PDB file of all heavy atoms in Angstrom:
ATOM      1  N   ALA G  30     -16.847  12.280  -0.150  1.00 78.00           N
ATOM      2  CA  ALA G  30     -16.762  10.947  -0.526  1.00 78.00           C
ATOM      3  C   ALA G  30     -15.702  10.621  -1.693  1.00 78.00           C
ATOM      4  O   ALA G  30     -14.968   9.630  -1.578  1.00 78.00           O
ATOM      5  CB  ALA G  30     -18.149  10.463  -1.154  1.00 78.00           C
ATOM      6  N   SER G  31     -15.646  11.429  -2.639  1.00 77.00           N
ATOM      7  CA  SER G  31     -14.574  11.203  -3.759  1.00 77.00           C
ATOM      8  C   SER G  31     -13.213  11.325  -3.079  1.00 77.00           C
ATOM      9  O   SER G  31     -12.357  10.629  -3.603  1.00 77.00           O
ATOM     10  CB  SER G  31     -14.767  12.326  -4.797  1.00 77.00           C
ATOM     11  OG  SER G  31     -14.775  13.582  -4.366  1.00 77.00           O
ATOM     12  N   HIS G  32     -13.028  12.322  -2.217  1.00 80.00           N
ATOM     13  CA  HIS G  32     -11.641  12.456  -1.739  1.00 80.00           C
ATOM     14  C   HIS G  32     -11.305  11.219  -0.868  1.00 80.00           C
ATOM     15  O   HIS G  32     -10.092  10.686  -0.946  1.00 80.00           O
ATOM     16  CB  HIS G  32     -11.568  13.690  -0.831  1.00 80.00           C
ATOM     17  CG  HIS G  32     -10.286  14.052  -0.173  1.00 80.00           C
ATOM     18  ND1 HIS G  32     -10.047  14.533   1.072  1.00 80.00           N
ATOM     19  CD2 HIS G  32      -9.026  13.803  -0.777  1.00 80.00           C
ATOM     20  CE1 HIS G  32      -8.769  14.621   1.329  1.00 80.00           C
ATOM     21  NE2 HIS G  32      -8.187  14.318   0.137  1.00 80.00           N
ATOM     22  N   LEU G  33     -12.209  10.678   0.000  1.00 83.00           N
ATOM     23  CA  LEU G  33     -11.900   9.519   0.791  1.00 83.00           C
ATOM     24  C   LEU G  33     -11.685   8.304  -0.100  1.00 83.00           C
ATOM     25  O   LEU G  33     -10.808   7.417   0.234  1.00 83.00           O
ATOM     26  CB  LEU G  33     -13.091   9.310   1.725  1.00 83.00           C
ATOM     27  CG  LEU G  33     -13.133  10.192   2.953  1.00 83.00           C
ATOM     28  CD1 LEU G  33     -14.483   9.931   3.742  1.00 83.00           C
ATOM     29  CD2 LEU G  33     -12.014   9.861   3.875  1.00 83.00           C
ATOM     30  N   THR G  34     -12.343   8.158  -1.188  1.00 83.00           N
ATOM     31  CA  THR G  34     -12.185   7.027  -2.227  1.00 83.00           C
ATOM     32  C   THR G  34     -10.775   7.111  -2.690  1.00 83.00           C
ATOM     33  O   THR G  34     -10.060   6.000  -2.656  1.00 83.00           O
ATOM     34  CB  THR G  34     -13.207   7.062  -3.247  1.00 83.00           C
ATOM     35  OG1 THR G  34     -14.637   7.044  -2.755  1.00 83.00           O
ATOM     36  CG2 THR G  34     -13.065   5.940  -4.151  1.00 83.00           C
ATOM     37  N   ALA G  35     -10.228   8.190  -3.148  1.00 84.00           N
ATOM     38  CA  ALA G  35      -8.881   8.339  -3.676  1.00 84.00           C
ATOM     39  C   ALA G  35      -7.863   8.092  -2.701  1.00 84.00           C
ATOM     40  O   ALA G  35      -6.869   7.453  -2.857  1.00 84.00           O
ATOM     41  CB  ALA G  35      -8.775   9.774  -4.201  1.00 84.00           C
ATOM     42  N   ILE G  36      -8.056   8.556  -1.323  1.00 85.00           N
ATOM     43  CA  ILE G  36      -7.182   8.368  -0.287  1.00 85.00           C
ATOM     44  C   ILE G  36      -7.080   6.864   0.095  1.00 85.00           C
ATOM     45  O   ILE G  36      -5.860   6.339   0.200  1.00 85.00           O
ATOM     46  CB  ILE G  36      -7.544   9.020   1.086  1.00 85.00           C
ATOM     47  CG1 ILE G  36      -7.378  10.562   0.799  1.00 85.00           C
ATOM     48  CG2 ILE G  36      -6.886   8.549   2.150  1.00 85.00           C
ATOM     49  CD1 ILE G  36      -7.971  11.427   1.894  1.00 85.00           C
ATOM     50  N   ILE G  37      -8.205   6.177   0.105  1.00 86.00           N
ATOM     51  CA  ILE G  37      -8.220   4.782   0.434  1.00 86.00           C
ATOM     52  C   ILE G  37      -7.419   4.017  -0.595  1.00 86.00           C
ATOM     53  O   ILE G  37      -6.519   3.056  -0.313  1.00 86.00           O
ATOM     54  CB  ILE G  37      -9.621   4.182   0.579  1.00 86.00           C
ATOM     55  CG1 ILE G  37     -10.251   4.745   1.870  1.00 86.00           C
ATOM     56  CG2 ILE G  37      -9.536   2.639   0.700  1.00 86.00           C
ATOM     57  CD1 ILE G  37     -11.755   4.494   1.954  1.00 86.00           C
ATOM     58  N   LEU G  38      -7.612   4.259  -1.914  1.00 84.00           N
ATOM     59  CA  LEU G  38      -6.956   3.474  -2.965  1.00 84.00           C
ATOM     60  C   LEU G  38      -5.483   3.753  -2.951  1.00 84.00           C
ATOM     61  O   LEU G  38      -4.620   2.814  -3.083  1.00 84.00           O
ATOM     62  CB  LEU G  38      -7.509   3.992  -4.365  1.00 84.00           C
ATOM     63  CG  LEU G  38      -8.903   3.576  -4.763  1.00 84.00           C
ATOM     64  CD1 LEU G  38      -9.334   4.260  -5.919  1.00 84.00           C
ATOM     65  CD2 LEU G  38      -8.939   2.047  -4.936  1.00 84.00           C
ATOM     66  N   PHE G  39      -5.014   5.016  -2.713  1.00 85.00           N
ATOM     67  CA  PHE G  39      -3.606   5.368  -2.671  1.00 85.00           C
ATOM     68  C   PHE G  39      -2.921   4.722  -1.453  1.00 85.00           C
ATOM     69  O   PHE G  39      -1.845   4.112  -1.686  1.00 85.00           O
ATOM     70  CB  PHE G  39      -3.478   6.838  -2.724  1.00 85.00           C
ATOM     71  CG  PHE G  39      -2.021   7.312  -2.768  1.00 85.00           C
ATOM     72  CD1 PHE G  39      -1.249   7.286  -3.901  1.00 85.00           C
ATOM     73  CD2 PHE G  39      -1.442   7.770  -1.587  1.00 85.00           C
ATOM     74  CE1 PHE G  39       0.032   7.731  -3.877  1.00 85.00           C
ATOM     75  CE2 PHE G  39      -0.082   8.092  -1.535  1.00 85.00           C
ATOM     76  CZ  PHE G  39       0.657   8.105  -2.724  1.00 85.00           C
ATOM     77  N   TYR G  40      -3.510   4.990  -0.339  1.00 84.00           N
ATOM     78  CA  TYR G  40      -2.793   4.614   0.836  1.00 84.00           C
ATOM     79  C   TYR G  40      -2.730   3.076   1.170  1.00 84.00           C
ATOM     80  O   TYR G  40      -1.779   2.545   1.682  1.00 84.00           O
ATOM     81  CB  TYR G  40      -3.484   5.277   2.114  1.00 84.00           C
ATOM     82  CG  TYR G  40      -2.753   6.607   2.480  1.00 84.00           C
ATOM     83  CD1 TYR G  40      -3.222   7.728   1.870  1.00 84.00           C
ATOM     84  CD2 TYR G  40      -1.644   6.643   3.340  1.00 84.00           C
ATOM     85  CE1 TYR G  40      -2.612   8.903   2.184  1.00 84.00           C
ATOM     86  CE2 TYR G  40      -1.009   7.863   3.601  1.00 84.00           C
ATOM     87  CZ  TYR G  40      -1.534   8.988   3.036  1.00 84.00           C
ATOM     88  OH  TYR G  40      -0.900  10.148   3.341  1.00 84.00           O
ATOM     89  N   SER G  41      -3.849   2.284   0.723  1.00 83.00           N
ATOM     90  CA  SER G  41      -3.810   0.908   0.880  1.00 83.00           C
ATOM     91  C   SER G  41      -2.714   0.212   0.226  1.00 83.00           C
ATOM     92  O   SER G  41      -2.016  -0.642   0.740  1.00 83.00           O
ATOM     93  CB  SER G  41      -5.185   0.339   0.444  1.00 83.00           C
ATOM     94  OG  SER G  41      -5.498   0.666  -0.980  1.00 83.00           O
ATOM     95  N   THR G  42      -2.406   0.671  -1.061  1.00 81.00           N
ATOM     96  CA  THR G  42      -1.420   0.008  -1.832  1.00 81.00           C
ATOM     97  C   THR G  42       0.008   0.504  -1.395  1.00 81.00           C
ATOM     98  O   THR G  42       0.981  -0.213  -1.329  1.00 81.00           O
ATOM     99  CB  THR G  42      -1.523   0.265  -3.408  1.00 81.00           C
ATOM    100  OG1 THR G  42      -1.737   1.670  -3.519  1.00 81.00           O
ATOM    101  CG2 THR G  42      -2.760  -0.441  -3.877  1.00 81.00           C
ATOM    102  N   ALA G  43       0.168   1.745  -1.051  1.00 79.00           N
ATOM    103  CA  ALA G  43       1.435   2.303  -0.672  1.00 79.00           C
ATOM    104  C   ALA G  43       1.774   1.805   0.807  1.00 79.00           C
ATOM    105  O   ALA G  43       3.007   1.446   0.836  1.00 79.00           O
ATOM    106  CB  ALA G  43       1.231   3.902  -0.474  1.00 79.00           C
ATOM    107  N   ILE G  44       0.973   1.651   1.606  1.00 77.00           N
ATOM    108  CA  ILE G  44       1.298   1.142   2.946  1.00 77.00           C
ATOM    109  C   ILE G  44       1.683  -0.362   2.799  1.00 77.00           C
ATOM    110  O   ILE G  44       2.692  -0.886   3.403  1.00 77.00           O
ATOM    111  CB  ILE G  44       0.137   1.358   3.940  1.00 77.00           C
ATOM    112  CG1 ILE G  44       0.028   2.815   4.235  1.00 77.00           C
ATOM    113  CG2 ILE G  44       0.333   0.549   5.190  1.00 77.00           C
ATOM    114  CD1 ILE G  44      -1.141   3.067   5.154  1.00 77.00           C
ATOM    115  N   TYR G  45       1.041  -1.050   2.023  1.00 76.00           N
ATOM    116  CA  TYR G  45       1.256  -2.568   1.834  1.00 76.00           C
ATOM    117  C   TYR G  45       2.651  -2.673   1.178  1.00 76.00           C
ATOM    118  O   TYR G  45       3.389  -3.614   1.510  1.00 76.00           O
ATOM    119  CB  TYR G  45       0.175  -3.177   0.810  1.00 76.00           C
ATOM    120  CG  TYR G  45       0.544  -4.491   0.381  1.00 76.00           C
ATOM    121  CD1 TYR G  45       0.280  -5.598   1.221  1.00 76.00           C
ATOM    122  CD2 TYR G  45       1.218  -4.802  -0.853  1.00 76.00           C
ATOM    123  CE1 TYR G  45       0.621  -6.838   0.779  1.00 76.00           C
ATOM    124  CE2 TYR G  45       1.588  -6.116  -1.244  1.00 76.00           C
ATOM    125  CZ  TYR G  45       1.220  -7.046  -0.443  1.00 76.00           C
ATOM    126  OH  TYR G  45       1.598  -8.420  -0.805  1.00 76.00           O
ATOM    127  N   THR G  46       3.027  -1.776   0.339  1.00 73.00           N
ATOM    128  CA  THR G  46       4.414  -1.902  -0.414  1.00 73.00           C
ATOM    129  C   THR G  46       5.494  -1.416   0.505  1.00 73.00           C
ATOM    130  O   THR G  46       6.544  -2.132   0.582  1.00 73.00           O
ATOM    131  CB  THR G  46       4.383  -1.080  -1.625  1.00 73.00           C
ATOM    132  OG1 THR G  46       3.266  -1.555  -2.569  1.00 73.00           O
ATOM    133  CG2 THR G  46       5.683  -1.275  -2.319  1.00 73.00           C
ATOM    134  N   TYR G  47       5.371  -0.378   1.231  1.00 71.00           N
ATOM    135  CA  TYR G  47       6.574   0.180   1.896  1.00 71.00           C
ATOM    136  C   TYR G  47       6.558   0.090   3.430  1.00 71.00           C
ATOM    137  O   TYR G  47       7.676   0.276   4.054  1.00 71.00           O
ATOM    138  CB  TYR G  47       6.674   1.762   1.451  1.00 71.00           C
ATOM    139  CG  TYR G  47       6.883   1.956  -0.062  1.00 71.00           C
ATOM    140  CD1 TYR G  47       5.795   2.376  -0.765  1.00 71.00           C
ATOM    141  CD2 TYR G  47       8.013   1.648  -0.595  1.00 71.00           C
ATOM    142  CE1 TYR G  47       6.032   2.520  -2.185  1.00 71.00           C
ATOM    143  CE2 TYR G  47       8.324   1.806  -1.904  1.00 71.00           C
ATOM    144  CZ  TYR G  47       7.282   2.245  -2.753  1.00 71.00           C
ATOM    145  OH  TYR G  47       7.522   2.480  -4.026  1.00 71.00           O
ATOM    146  N   LEU G  48       5.478  -0.299   3.944  1.00 67.00           N
ATOM    147  CA  LEU G  48       5.459  -0.313   5.452  1.00 67.00           C
ATOM    148  C   LEU G  48       5.242  -1.632   6.074  1.00 67.00           C
ATOM    149  O   LEU G  48       5.289  -1.777   7.259  1.00 67.00           O
ATOM    150  CB  LEU G  48       4.446   0.635   6.010  1.00 67.00           C
ATOM    151  CG  LEU G  48       4.620   2.200   5.756  1.00 67.00           C
ATOM    152  CD1 LEU G  48       3.677   3.020   6.432  1.00 67.00           C
ATOM    153  CD2 LEU G  48       6.032   2.581   6.174  1.00 67.00           C
ATOM    154  N   ARG G  49       5.276  -2.665   5.132  1.00 65.00           N
ATOM    155  CA  ARG G  49       5.207  -4.016   5.767  1.00 65.00           C
ATOM    156  C   ARG G  49       6.511  -4.576   6.074  1.00 65.00           C
ATOM    157  O   ARG G  49       7.519  -3.986   5.539  1.00 65.00           O
ATOM    158  CB  ARG G  49       4.345  -4.964   4.874  1.00 65.00           C
ATOM    159  CG  ARG G  49       5.207  -5.443   3.547  1.00 65.00           C
ATOM    160  CD  ARG G  49       4.270  -6.380   2.773  1.00 65.00           C
ATOM    161  NE  ARG G  49       4.969  -6.991   1.668  1.00 65.00           N
ATOM    162  CZ  ARG G  49       5.188  -6.433   0.492  1.00 65.00           C
ATOM    163  NH1 ARG G  49       4.718  -5.204   0.192  1.00 65.00           N
ATOM    164  NH2 ARG G  49       5.874  -7.198  -0.545  1.00 65.00           N
ATOM    165  N   PRO G  50       6.709  -5.456   7.028  1.00 63.00           N
ATOM    166  CA  PRO G  50       7.988  -6.135   7.336  1.00 63.00           C
ATOM    167  C   PRO G  50       8.758  -6.577   6.229  1.00 63.00           C
ATOM    168  O   PRO G  50       8.144  -7.207   5.175  1.00 63.00           O
ATOM    169  CB  PRO G  50       7.650  -7.193   8.420  1.00 63.00           C
ATOM    170  CG  PRO G  50       6.355  -6.857   8.880  1.00 63.00           C
ATOM    171  CD  PRO G  50       5.573  -6.173   7.749  1.00 63.00           C
ATOM    172  N   SER G  51      10.139  -6.406   6.116  1.00 59.00           N
ATOM    173  CA  SER G  51      10.798  -6.858   4.950  1.00 59.00           C
ATOM    174  C   SER G  51      10.901  -8.375   4.949  1.00 59.00           C
ATOM    175  O   SER G  51      11.090  -8.951   3.889  1.00 59.00           O
ATOM    176  CB  SER G  51      12.383  -6.279   5.154  1.00 59.00           C
ATOM    177  OG  SER G  51      12.870  -6.735   6.428  1.00 59.00           O
ATOM    178  N   SER G  52      10.636  -9.066   6.065  1.00 58.00           N
ATOM    179  CA  SER G  52      10.571 -10.496   6.010  1.00 58.00           C
ATOM    180  C   SER G  52       9.522 -11.073   5.179  1.00 58.00           C
ATOM    181  O   SER G  52       9.492 -12.151   4.728  1.00 58.00           O
ATOM    182  CB  SER G  52      10.586 -11.037   7.425  1.00 58.00           C
ATOM    183  OG  SER G  52       9.420 -10.547   8.101  1.00 58.00           O
ATOM    184  N   SER G  53       8.377 -10.268   5.067  1.00 57.00           N
ATOM    185  CA  SER G  53       7.203 -10.660   4.273  1.00 57.00           C
ATOM    186  C   SER G  53       7.277 -10.258   2.886  1.00 57.00           C
ATOM    187  O   SER G  53       6.262 -10.284   2.205  1.00 57.00           O
ATOM    188  CB  SER G  53       6.012 -10.338   5.000  1.00 57.00           C
ATOM    189  OG  SER G  53       5.865  -8.861   5.085  1.00 57.00           O
ATOM    190  N   TYR G  54       8.250  -9.457   2.495  1.00 60.00           N
ATOM    191  CA  TYR G  54       8.372  -8.848   1.173  1.00 60.00           C
ATOM    192  C   TYR G  54       8.404  -9.817   0.090  1.00 60.00           C
ATOM    193  O   TYR G  54       9.134 -10.923   0.076  1.00 60.00           O
ATOM    194  CB  TYR G  54       9.684  -8.009   1.065  1.00 60.00           C
ATOM    195  CG  TYR G  54       9.764  -7.255  -0.294  1.00 60.00           C
ATOM    196  CD1 TYR G  54       9.091  -6.134  -0.453  1.00 60.00           C
ATOM    197  CD2 TYR G  54      10.678  -7.766  -1.213  1.00 60.00           C
ATOM    198  CE1 TYR G  54       9.198  -5.498  -1.762  1.00 60.00           C
ATOM    199  CE2 TYR G  54      10.837  -7.134  -2.424  1.00 60.00           C
ATOM    200  CZ  TYR G  54      10.134  -5.975  -2.730  1.00 60.00           C
ATOM    201  OH  TYR G  54      10.226  -5.314  -3.893  1.00 60.00           O
ATOM    202  N   SER G  55       7.583  -9.762  -1.022  1.00 64.00           N
ATOM    203  CA  SER G  55       7.428 -10.567  -2.096  1.00 64.00           C
ATOM    204  C   SER G  55       7.566  -9.730  -3.359  1.00 64.00           C
ATOM    205  O   SER G  55       6.770  -8.839  -3.563  1.00 64.00           O
ATOM    206  CB  SER G  55       6.044 -11.419  -2.034  1.00 64.00           C
ATOM    207  OG  SER G  55       5.913 -12.003  -3.224  1.00 64.00           O
ATOM    208  N   LEU G  56       8.479 -10.127  -4.107  1.00 65.00           N
ATOM    209  CA  LEU G  56       8.755  -9.287  -5.462  1.00 65.00           C
ATOM    210  C   LEU G  56       7.541  -9.403  -6.366  1.00 65.00           C
ATOM    211  O   LEU G  56       7.068  -8.397  -6.903  1.00 65.00           O
ATOM    212  CB  LEU G  56       9.980  -9.804  -6.117  1.00 65.00           C
ATOM    213  CG  LEU G  56      11.228  -9.526  -5.429  1.00 65.00           C
ATOM    214  CD1 LEU G  56      12.405 -10.291  -6.080  1.00 65.00           C
ATOM    215  CD2 LEU G  56      11.575  -8.016  -5.537  1.00 65.00           C
ATOM    216  N   ASP G  57       6.835 -10.566  -6.493  1.00 68.00           N
ATOM    217  CA  ASP G  57       5.751 -10.651  -7.392  1.00 68.00           C
ATOM    218  C   ASP G  57       4.521  -9.945  -6.904  1.00 68.00           C
ATOM    219  O   ASP G  57       3.839  -9.302  -7.556  1.00 68.00           O
ATOM    220  CB  ASP G  57       5.370 -12.183  -7.603  1.00 68.00           C
ATOM    221  CG  ASP G  57       6.514 -12.934  -8.375  1.00 68.00           C
ATOM    222  OD1 ASP G  57       7.091 -12.289  -9.269  1.00 68.00           O
ATOM    223  OD2 ASP G  57       6.641 -14.117  -8.131  1.00 68.00           O
ATOM    224  N   GLN G  58       4.321 -10.015  -5.608  1.00 70.00           N
ATOM    225  CA  GLN G  58       3.169  -9.325  -5.097  1.00 70.00           C
ATOM    226  C   GLN G  58       3.437  -7.784  -5.147  1.00 70.00           C
ATOM    227  O   GLN G  58       2.457  -7.041  -5.356  1.00 70.00           O
ATOM    228  CB  GLN G  58       2.917  -9.778  -3.538  1.00 70.00           C
ATOM    229  CG  GLN G  58       2.407 -11.122  -3.378  1.00 70.00           C
ATOM    230  CD  GLN G  58       2.264 -11.584  -1.879  1.00 70.00           C
ATOM    231  OE1 GLN G  58       2.602 -10.821  -1.022  1.00 70.00           O
ATOM    232  NE2 GLN G  58       1.995 -12.750  -1.624  1.00 70.00           N
TER     233      GLN G  58
END
């Protein structure tokens, strides 16, 4: 459970930042 919690926190923000389309990129977000 602890490992999965840490993975979800890390990957959710990292994927949002680096793998979303550049057209939807927002500096403030």
Side-chain angles (χ1 to χ4, degrees):
S31 55
H32 186 216
L33 282 172
T34 304
I36 287 172
I37 291 169
L38 288 173
F39 180 82
Y40 268 90
S41 58
T42 52
I44 290 174
Y45 172 80
T46 302
Y47 296 106
L48 296 187
R49 73 183 191 271
S51 58
S52 58
S53 63
Y54 181 78
S55 170
L56 291 169
D57 292 331
Q58 291 177 4

